[in-house]
Each structure stands twice: as C-alpha cells, then as structure tokens.
Amino acid sequence: MTNLTLKPTFQLPAGRSSSLVTLPRPSILRVVRCAAASLEAKPTILVAEKLGEAGLALLKSYANVDCAYNLSPEELNTKISLCDALIVRSGTKVTRDVFESSAGRLRVVGRAGVGIDNVDLGAATEHGCLVVNAPTANTVAAAEHGIALLAAMARNVAQADASVKAGLWQRNKYVGVSLVGKTLAVMGFGKVGSEVARRAKGLGLHVIAHDPYAPADRARAIGVELVGFEEALATADFISLHMPLTPATAKVLNDDTFAKMKKGVRIVNVARGGVIDEDALVRALDAGIVAQAALDVFIEEPPAKDSKLIAHERVTVTPHLGASTMEAQEGVAIEIAEAVIGALKGELAATAVNAPMVPAEVLSELKPFVVLADKLGRLAVQLVAGGSGVKTVRVSYASARAPDDLDTRLLRAMITKGLIEPISSVFVNLVNADFTAKQRGLRITEERVILDGSPESPLEYIQVQIANVESRFASAISDSGEITVEGRVKDGIPHLTRVGGFEVDVSLEGSIILCRQVDQPGMIGKVGSILGEENVNVSFMSVGRIAPRKQAVMAIGVDDQPSRETLKKIGDIPAVEEFVFLKL
Ligand SMILES: NC(=O)C1=CN([C@@H]2O[C@H](COP(=O)(O)OP(=O)(O)OC[C@H]3O[C@@H](n4cnc5c(N)ncnc54)[C@H](O)[C@@H]3O)[C@@H](O)[C@H]2O)C=CC1
Ligand SMILES: O=C(O)C(=O)COP(=O)(O)O
C-alpha cells in the first residue's frame, strides 16, 4: 500500500477571486509530483528559448533557472531529467521522448506563446505533466504582423525594397492593389483573427470570417459576417489564416480548395505553416489562382534553403515574427512565468492546455467535495478483498442543482486518484486521471441523482460503488451487490454517511475502523477503552444499525494508526463479527 505520508491531505483555500487558485503545498490535487525529500528543494526550470527579462527575473525568484538555447533533441533529452519545468516557444519540439527521458521529474511544460502544436499533448497527459501556455500577451503583436504583411504584400514593399537596394528603380513593376473596398476572409475568428478583422475594417476592407466555433455575437459586435468555408473561399480577395494547426486544419488550403478561390486571391498566413499545403500553394501561384502570398510561418522552420515557395517572386516571407515585438515578448514571458510558477506551487492554472480549467468560484465551492471524493475513492478501494480486480465503478452525485450546473471532472479525477493510489505506485492528478483510469481498464460511470430542495450546496452526497468484487468487510456490500460508500459534507468537513446498507456518520479525518457487531449495550465503551489503553485518539464514533439488538456497523474515526495487537483485541470482542481498518 502507498505510504500516504508522501501524499499528504489536500485542502483548498477559501474562495479566491484571481484566475489562479492557490492550493497549499503539498496537495493531492497538485500537478506537482513530489517525494517528501524534495519538498523543500528549489525546483529547476529549463528555459530552452529566449524569454523576456521580466519573466526570467520572476522565474529566478522562485527556482533555479537554466537558460540553454538551441539544444539538439539529444541534449534536451539529457537535460530534462534534471528539470521540474520546461519553457519553450515555437522552436522546440517537446516530443514523447522528452517526457520519457524526464523519468517522471518534469511536471510542467510552459509554452511562452499560443500554439502548442510543438508539444506532444498526449504524451504530456500520459506522464501527468501539465502543459500551460500564454494565450493572450502576443495576440495584438500577431494581429499587427498580419496587417503589416497584408499591406506590405498588396504594395510589394519587400520586393520593391530589395529592388531599390539592388540599384534598380522599377516604379511600373511594383504597382500594387488597393485594400479599400476589397473582401477579406478571416479564417479562424479567435483572439488574433478578431483583432485582424477589427483593424482591417479600419482600413476600409469588407470583412467576412469563417470559424465553425466562433460565437455569432462576437462577430456581430465587430461588424463581421460569419460565413461558411466555401463562401469564404469563393468571395475573398484576401484570405488571412488564424486557426490553430490541428488534424482538422492541416493543409486546409490545398489543390482542391485553391481551385475554389477567386482568381487573383492574396493569402496571408501568420497562423501555422501546416494549414497550407505548401507545394499546392506554389502550383496555385504559378497557375495565377493566387496572385500573392505573405507568410510568417512554414511547415518546416527554418524552411529548406531551396524552397520554391520562399524563392517565389510573389511571396513575401518573415521568419515567424508574429509574436516578436518587445511588448509582446515581455508580456508573454511574464504570463508564462506566472503560469509555470503557479503550476509548480500546485495551483490550478487558468491557462492549462491538457487539464480542465476550473474557474476559481467553482473550485472554492467544490473544495470540501473534492476532498470527500478522494477519500471515498480511498475507502471504497480498501474495502475490496485481495484478488478481486477493480474494473467497474459507479459514482452518483446527488444534487438539487440543474444537471448541467455541476462540473464533475474535478470530482471524478479525485475519485480516480483515491481509487488508484492506495493500490499502486502510480501518481494520479487532474491531468492524467482519466488516462490512468482508462489504461488500468477502470471504467468509471457517473450519474446524477436529481433531488428536490435547496440548490445552495452543489451536492448533497456522493456515492461510490464498486461492482463485481468481493469485500474485506462483507457489510460494505449493498443489497444491489456492490461495495458502497457514501459521503456528505457537514460544516465544511467531509463525512462518511453510508457503508453498504448501514447509515453511519464519521468525519473523514485521520483513519477509520469499521466494525460489524450484534447491537448491544456497552460496545462503544468496550472498543473505546481498548483504543484508549493503546493511546489511540478517537475523533468520531457512530453506530448504524438495521434494527435494535440486530446487526450494527460502528464507524470509528481515529487520529493514530492502532497497532496490530489493538486491532486484534477489537476483533476478539465476542459480539464483533467483522472489522476493517482503513487508511485515509
Ligand atoms: N505567427 C506568430 O508568431 C503567431 C501565431 N499565432 C497562431 O495564430 C493562431 C491563432 O491564435 P489565437 O487567435 O490566439 O487562437 P484562438 O484559439 O484564440 O483562435 C483560434 C480560432 O480558430 C478557430 N478554429 C478552429 N478550427 C477551425 C477551423 N477548422 N476553421 C476555422 N476556424 C477554426 C477556433 O474556433 C478559434 O476561434 C494559432 O495557430 C497561433 O499559434 C499566434 C500568435 C503569434
Ligand atoms: O504564440 C504563437 O503561437 C506563436 O506562433 C509565437 O511563436 P514564438 O513564441 O514567437 O516562437
């Protein structure tokens, strides 16, 4: 069984209004994987790409910071085993190898920017490593670069500049096109896309946008019409790309889609190179479908020296400069430093990419239920008899709230943690809970029990049932045949309120002895005095019985772990039919 002293009890703080919620160290929920010995040591953060000074200063105030740029993949793999966090921009590929090489030490990857397509999120999640990004600080910089490329492309600024510097004066060759009155299709109407749209309207462009997930009211507020993909392609004079690179957007501009565009269309890409099939773009340029393109991003960065696309006369290129303004880089550095430090401290990051982002208010409300969920999981799994594999778990959340008004991801993660940690050496956190459960073949189904009454509290009770197993404590099996434990929160403290068919009431602090006996006078006294003699402090006691003088289950909360002999003495009381000691 896991030594629980290495995984101390988690408490959430009282309500906080900031987007980051501090969890005290150490905490169950934290993404921080800790060994007791390393608790006091300063973490080490590897900064693998250039970061603004203010962010570096912040990092240095909290951790040992190793700035090592231009590492080869092999060098990164070697260094990473000594690091608790890694900070990168778009130039570093954080592959599965990196997580494997870290041998469990890497807890946080911070992407100092928006796009996380260079981080293997699946591998991060499997390794319980939180990935955070800095999604807001470079938005304006990217939008401004998009507009700069749009205007520069339309007026051949780069080509004309090169020509003048080469001693030429080609006024007729570099006649451009006007922007005013033209239609710009913004593909991807998120943070950057909408800022581009706002600025383009100021330049007199008619702006349409395509984004299957963007809210229509945001588009309306800027005076932009949301249109379908085909319509955007068919009507645009300019197309500006602002969607993330995902399997769905990879090479979304290809031979087929270029063929649907207006002849003479001009394309700007400050999103990701991979959203365009670059060979197809060269063909479309040569065929005259695309008049010009202005590109900040490429499938391969830096691109191959002999790239036909880069060399193309009608293509303007920049070396992934979208986020590269002084202001954006300072902002991004601070944003990522705060997120990484917060994550290392065990806070839930508001910019988590591979874990649920739970708003501070929700978290503060769920706080005692999160503790309850973990403890119910721990109790339930310890009630399973050795040899019965735990495969099917049903969790019921009883609440008077509307069904969609309860985010159970956090609770499910904590139940999973409680179920898995006592029986394995696996570390479970919010990042890897679902993955770990799936990997172990643990199927957790959730259901809501809708109650009448006051929806003031998010939950009335949580019930955890494990099906198809034998129990070390037969009374824990309910009539329906599952190990059943149920708990409630009373005055902010989690309580165990049901075991099998027996109602009990014991606060879930310390550890618990469950004892089934024939209901008769003097039992509480007998057990209490055995524990007292051994100096085991009893925090709570309660008896749940079927009927007077029939069977009863006594739940005893103890602060200290009773010795084997003490437990034996309890078992030897003639009326005691079975008992079990459970660590929380
Ligand atoms: N060149 C550079 O230096 C920079 C590049 N970027 C890139 O710009 C892109 C956008 O960044 P943000 O606006 O901050 O992200 P965002 O997440 O705010 O916006 C992305 C938008 O794309 C939409 N989208 C997703 N799939 C789509 C699809 N199939 N078709 C159309 N739209 C789709 C989403 O609904 C979302 O509204 C990202 O790829 C990011 O990496 C961002 C900053 C700097
Ligand atoms: O934030 C993004 O998505 C970017 O593309 C910026 O990349 P960078 O941090 O400049 O390497």
Side-chain angles (χ1 to χ4, degrees), residues 41 93 128 136 234 298 320 323 421 441-442 461 484 538 550:
K93 297 229 177 315
T136 58
F298 307 90
H320 201 146
E421 284 193 345
L442 179 62
Y461 64 82
T484 302
V538 173
K550 293 227 162 105

Side-chain angles (χ1 to χ4, degrees), residues 239-475:
I239 293 176
S240 194
L241 301 168
H242 300 289
M243 66 270 265
L245 176 60
T246 64
T249 61
K251 297 196 177 169
V252 71
L253 296 197
N254 52 42
D255 286 315
D256 288 346
T257 49
F258 283 126
K260 293 175 180 165
M261 293 176 191
K262 252 188 183 176
K263 200 164 164 44
V265 64
R266 290 176 164 81
I267 292 170
V268 176
N269 187 9
V270 289
R272 281 295 176 268
V275 301
I276 300 181
D277 176 339
E278 291 178 344
D279 295 336
L281 176 55
V282 173
R283 286 190 286 274
L285 281 157
D286 289 342
I289 300 173
V290 174
Q292 287 181 295
L295 311 170
D296 183 45
V297 282
F298 307 90
I299 292 178
E300 196 187 324
E301 293 184 0
K305 294 226 164 28
D306 61 352
S307 160
K308 283 198 183 126
L309 184 62
I310 305 291
H312 205 286
E313 162 73 2
R314 282 179 279 124
V315 175
T316 303
V317 290
T318 49
H320 201 146
L321 288 182
S324 295
T325 62
M326 306 293 281
E327 296 82 353
Q329 281 313 308
E330 280 305 292
V332 162
I334 292 169
E335 198 177 2
I336 203 63
E338 285 176 344
V340 168
I341 293 170
L344 284 171
K345 284 181 176 169
E347 295 167 357
L348 276 182
T351 60
V353 175
N354 61 341
M357 287 179 251
V358 184
E361 321 75 70
V362 176
L363 201 49
S364 130
E365 197 181 37
L366 283 182
K367 161 176 88 171
F369 297 97
V370 166
V371 183
L372 175 65
D374 174 52
K375 297 204 166 177
L376 288 175
R378 279 174 196 276
L379 285 183
V381 79
Q382 289 179 70
L383 286 166
V384 175
S388 336
V390 177
K391 290 282 172 237
T392 313
V393 176
R394 184 164 67 221
V395 181
S396 309
Y397 306 99
S399 168
R401 294 230 174 133
D404 58 358
D405 195 11
L406 178 68
D407 187 343
T408 61
R409 291 171 304 174
L410 196 52
L411 300 170
R412 185 176 69 239
M414 289 301 105
I415 291 168
T416 308
K417 179 180 180 67
L419 286 166
I420 292 176
E421 284 193 345
I423 55 167
S424 76
S425 56
V426 174
F427 169 85
V428 184
N429 65 11
L430 194 52
V431 176
N432 66 0
D434 286 345
F435 170 79
T436 310
K438 197 169 166 206
Q439 202 186 33
R440 298 178 65 89
L442 179 62
R443 189 162 166 268
I444 303 183
T445 56
E446 296 177 287
E447 61 181 40
R448 284 290 304 270
V449 179
I450 313 283
L451 302 176
D452 291 334
S454 157
E456 229 163 68
S457 166
L459 278 161
E460 276 302 310
Y461 64 82
I462 302 176
Q463 190 181 75
V464 177
Q465 296 187 297
I466 305 182
N468 309 321
V469 287
E470 311 257 297
S471 179
R472 292 165 62 202
F473 187 67
S475 320

Side-chain angles (χ1 to χ4, degrees), residues 49-50 88-91 111-118 134-135 138 142 270-272 296-297 301 319-324 329 332:
E49 287 180 74
K50 185 136 178 46
V88 297
R89 288 176 57 185
S90 61
R111 173 14 178 150
V114 185
I116 31 83
D117 44 283
N118 53 324
N138 67 23
V270 289
R272 281 295 176 268
D296 183 45
V297 282
E301 293 184 0
H320 201 146
L321 288 182
S324 295
Q329 281 313 308
V332 162

